């Protein structure tokens, strides 16, 4: 009787646990690589994207009051610029930010402004690896990494990890985007390994089936105790 009860409880747990997935609605397959692409075939790095605590230089041609040798990005990913105010800069390229400042100044204040944004110093680039990995945490990378390399830094997947439901989140032009990748297909060479950049967050999905099995095995000694009485 105890076995029947345990089996029924386990089946109900599996049914309830499988009703929701955090990857629902996110692009997968070929669509995922449009959001999080692979490194170019010639090995060239993607254009740098500004991160929190970076130090920028902003030079406005013939406008010394609008020229700064150093301006720090806040922990919230913003800077304050004269006449424009607070700008969200995280995830933007220096060229994109240059264009945005030119547009803001040109609207009211300066005729045909010319702005150049540079990166004086870059804060250590970090990638967060979370979810069903052995050692979740924040890991430093030099420039860029790949999905396989980033997951390996976290010591790989736990037993309850789902290798075909690995989500990468990235800030692009100030907006958060996500995409789902099949780590098994990447390992086997059936899919390309997407490029991971500083600021990305990787979340490995949870297997409700394996999790319920782990819970069942943990509870098994308890059921055996009851059977003795």
């Amino acid at each position: 009787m105890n076995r029947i009860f345990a089996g029924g409880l386990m089946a109900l747990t599996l049914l309830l646990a499988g009703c929701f997935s955090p990857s629902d609605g996110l692009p997968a397959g070929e669509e995922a690589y449009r959001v999080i692409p692979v490194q170019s075939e010639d090995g060239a790095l993607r254009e740098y994207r500004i991160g929190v605590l970076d130090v920028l230089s902003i030079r406005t041609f013939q406008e010394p009051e609008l020229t700064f040798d150093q301006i720090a990005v806040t922990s919230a990913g913003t800077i304050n610029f004269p006449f424009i105010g607070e700008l969200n800069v995280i995830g933007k390229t220096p060229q994109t930010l240059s264009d945005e400042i030119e547009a803001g100044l040109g609207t009211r204040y300066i005729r045909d402004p010319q702005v150049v944004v540079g990166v004086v110093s870059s804060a250590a680039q970090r990638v967060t690896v979370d979810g069903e990995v052995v050692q979740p945490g924040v890991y430093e990378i030099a420039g860029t990494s790949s999905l396989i390399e980033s997951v390996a830094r976290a010591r790989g997947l736990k037993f309850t990890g789902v290798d075909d439901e690995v989500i990468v989140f990235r800030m692009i032009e100030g907006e958060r985007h996500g995409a789902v990748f099949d780590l098994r297909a990447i390992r086997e060479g059936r899919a390309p390994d997407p490029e991971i950049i500083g600021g990305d967050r990787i979340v490995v999905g949870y297997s409700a089936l394996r999790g319920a099995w782990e819970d069942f095995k943990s509870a098994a000694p308890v059921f055996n105790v009851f059977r003795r009485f």
Side-chain angles (χ1 to χ4, degrees):
M1 187 69 177
N2 286 330
R3 289 183 179 180
I4 296 174
F5 174 78
L9 181 61
M10 180 178 175
L12 179 61
T13 300
L14 296 180
L15 179 62
L16 294 176
C19 293
F20 171 75
S21 170
S23 65
D24 287 348
L26 293 178
E30 293 183 2
E31 291 294 328
Y33 290 96
R34 293 190 177 93
V35 179
I36 313 290
V38 298
Q39 193 175 47
S40 61
E41 294 182 0
D42 60 5
L45 296 178
R46 288 162 52 86
E47 190 172 1
Y48 181 80
R49 294 184 180 275
I50 299 167
V52 296
L53 306 182
D54 282 357
V55 178
L56 310 177
S57 65
I58 302 178
R59 303 184 181 278
T60 307
F61 183 64
Q62 293 186 338
E63 296 291 341
E65 294 183 354
L66 298 176
T67 295
F68 303 89
D69 291 332
Q70 293 189 359
I71 182 167
V73 179
T74 69
S75 59
T78 64
I79 63 171
N80 274 290
F81 198 79
F83 303 126
I84 299 177
E86 189 175 73
L87 292 170
N88 188 339
V89 301
I90 189 171
K92 296 178 181 178
T93 67
Q95 183 59 57
T96 299
L97 181 56
S98 298
D99 295 341
E100 187 174 333
I101 294 175
E102 287 179 351
L105 294 175
T107 302
R108 299 180 181 178
Y109 306 104
I110 301 174
R111 182 177 181 181
D112 191 25
Q114 298 178 42
V115 178
V116 177
V117 175
V119 180
V120 176
S121 64
S122 171
Q125 296 298 295
R126 295 178 175 88
V127 170
T128 301
V129 186
D130 203 354
E132 298 304 298
V133 291
V134 175
Q135 192 171 326
V138 180
Y139 297 89
E140 292 189 8
I141 62 173
T144 63
S145 181
S146 72
L147 185 56
I148 289 287
E149 292 172 352
S150 299
V151 172
R153 284 185 171 92
R155 307 285 298 277
L157 274 62
K158 294 166 60 176
F159 174 73
T160 50
V162 183
D163 54 10
D164 62 352
E165 189 179 25
V166 179
I167 310 170
V168 179
F169 293 102
R170 176 174 297 173
M171 293 296 295
I172 302 175
E173 301 298 332
E175 295 184 0
R176 190 169 184 254
H177 295 262
V180 185
F181 295 94
D182 187 336
L183 199 63
R184 181 188 301 176
I186 295 171
R187 284 198 186 107
E188 295 174 354
R190 295 183 286 109
D193 195 0
E195 185 179 43
I196 300 300
I197 63 176
D200 285 354
R201 183 186 179 202
I202 300 165
V203 181
V204 176
Y206 172 77
S207 170
L209 177 62
R210 293 176 183 174
W213 175 245
E214 287 287 283
D215 293 342
F216 176 72
K217 288 195 299 181
S218 299
V222 177
F223 288 116
N224 288 334
V225 169
F226 281 114
R227 287 181 60 197
R228 294 174 186 173
F229 289 94

